Amino acid sequence: SGDLAVFQPVYQGPLVNLASTPVLSGLTLFPGTYYFWFAVDHPMDSILGLVPGQYLYDQVTVVVQ
């Protein structure tokens, strides 16, 4: 939905070169369109600051046929 308040952390650590991180292990995506959102938590306190200009986020659209 793009509602930043419902983001759930997948990786919590410093921004460095990372190995692959499984996100949807064991989950089957049925045909449809899915939107995945990614955000950077700064300061790193597990609370996504929602003040405009103080966070970075992006979105990827995945279409499963």
Side-chain angles (χ1 to χ4, degrees):
S1 71
D3 179 0
L4 300 178
V6 298
F7 278 21
Q8 297 294 314
V10 174
Y11 170 79
Q12 292 179 292
L15 294 178
V16 296
N17 289 331
L18 300 174
S20 296
T21 301
V23 177
L24 299 173
S25 300
L27 181 67
T28 300
L29 293 178
F30 295 102
T33 303
Y34 298 86
Y35 305 95
F36 295 92
W37 294 82
F38 304 89
V40 175
D41 176 26
H42 181 76
M44 195 169 54
D45 58 4
S46 298
I47 301 169
L48 187 59
L50 300 178
V51 177
Q54 293 186 359
Y55 57 89
L56 299 172
Y57 69 96
D58 203 351
Q59 178 261 331
V60 174
T61 302
V62 175
V63 177
V64 178
Q65 298 181 359

